[in-house]
Amino acid sequence: MSTHLTRRLLQLYLGLALYGVSSGLLVRAGLGLEPWGVLHQGLAEHTGLSIGVVSIIVGAAVLLLWIPIRQRPGLGTVSNVFAIGIFMDATLAVVPDVHGLLAQVPLTAAAIVCNGVATGLYISARFGPGPRDGLMTGLHKVTGRSIRLVRTSLEVVVVATGFLLGGSLGIGTVLYALAIGPLAQFFLRLFAIPEGAISEARKEPASGPAPEVMPPAPARSTPVAEPTPRRAILPR
């Protein structure tokens, strides 16, 4: 296994694990979740399932929506469905709820920064987008609408549905929406892997006999008369 592939795999799974941890920390902070987290929490309240399991189910359902919009999943896409939910539930199992703004605010800020780091890690590994991001880009291609409009529309629907189901919507949700873009952009640049390291062209020596080289044509011994130039016809 090449060094570059090893690095990409480490970035992918470290990023997905950290994403699940940061989502769990947002739950424990209690000041509001990221947009899809609001939906997952609302569904968990009504189904009795853990929020991590709900995240896995929703991710798989969103992945099915890729079929009509002709999106192709990658290793990162499938891994995203399972890894984030697993690490989210693991975090919730060991981290207790916190109370009081002196603890909630720093924990919310730390979770948002961790989420930005996680986003930069797993996206820059270039193993395919997550189910939700793929849905966004697929709808952008099918509808012709801008990425901004498609993403905003999706997240408004997701947040509203999750809130009506009992999901946690608060200042943490607003802070996440404002900060995640700049954070993700910064960490995408920080963890970027050069394009040449991903699609490295391997040059192999050509097999078989060497091509025949035609000998140069012999020089002519007799001079060839130059054709007489015709009179130029000028336009009238």
Side-chain angles (χ1 to χ4, degrees):
M1 185 181 295
S2 68
T3 304
H4 294 303
L5 180 57
T6 302
R7 175 186 168 182
R8 290 173 62 203
L9 288 170
L10 285 174
Q11 282 196 201
L12 171 65
Y13 290 108
L14 179 60
L16 293 176
L18 191 57
Y19 199 105
V21 170
S22 65
S23 297
L25 292 178
L26 280 175
V27 174
R28 291 306 188 211
L31 294 181
L33 307 181
E34 74 276 18
W36 285 92
V38 177
L39 176 63
H40 299 156
Q41 190 180 51
L43 290 171
E45 292 288 336
H46 288 268
T47 61
L49 300 173
S50 70
I51 190 171
V53 171
V54 170
S55 172
I56 293 172
I57 295 172
V58 171
V62 171
L63 194 55
L64 291 177
L65 296 178
W66 283 31
I67 298 173
I69 57 178
R70 299 180 179 180
Q71 291 286 90
R72 294 184 177 180
L75 174 63
T77 310
V78 179
S79 300
N80 183 295
V81 172
F82 297 98
I84 292 178
I86 291 171
F87 281 95
M88 188 176 184
D89 274 351
T91 302
L92 293 173
V94 297
V95 178
D97 287 330
V98 298
H99 303 283
L101 290 179
L102 289 178
Q104 289 175 297
V105 172
L107 185 59
T108 298
I112 293 173
V113 172
C114 286
N115 197 278
V117 174
T119 301
L121 280 168
Y122 90 81
I123 291 181
S124 61
R126 299 186 187 181
F127 278 109
R132 298 154 186 84
D133 289 333
L135 177 64
M136 173 188 67
T137 55
L139 289 175
H140 157 68
K141 292 177 183 178
V142 170
T143 63
R145 303 296 182 181
S146 68
I147 287 286
R148 180 180 298 178
L149 177 61
V150 173
R151 177 165 185 167
T152 302
S153 301
L154 277 174
E155 293 191 349
V156 167
V157 171
V158 165
V159 168
T161 304
F163 178 70
L164 292 175
L165 291 172
S168 177
L169 178 64
I171 187 62
T173 310
V174 177
L175 291 176
Y176 181 93
L178 293 175
I180 194 60
L183 285 171
Q185 183 176 6
F186 173 78
F187 288 111
L188 277 168
R189 291 177 179 175
L190 182 63
F191 299 122
I193 298 175
E195 183 68 30
I198 296 176
S199 54
E200 202 172 20
R202 295 182 178 180
K203 296 181 180 180
E204 297 181 0
S207 57
E212 295 183 2
V213 179
M214 298 297 293
R220 296 180 179 178
S221 56
T222 57
V224 179
E226 295 292 334
T228 304
R230 297 182 179 180
R231 181 181 298 173
I233 303 176
L234 299 176
R236 294 180 180 179

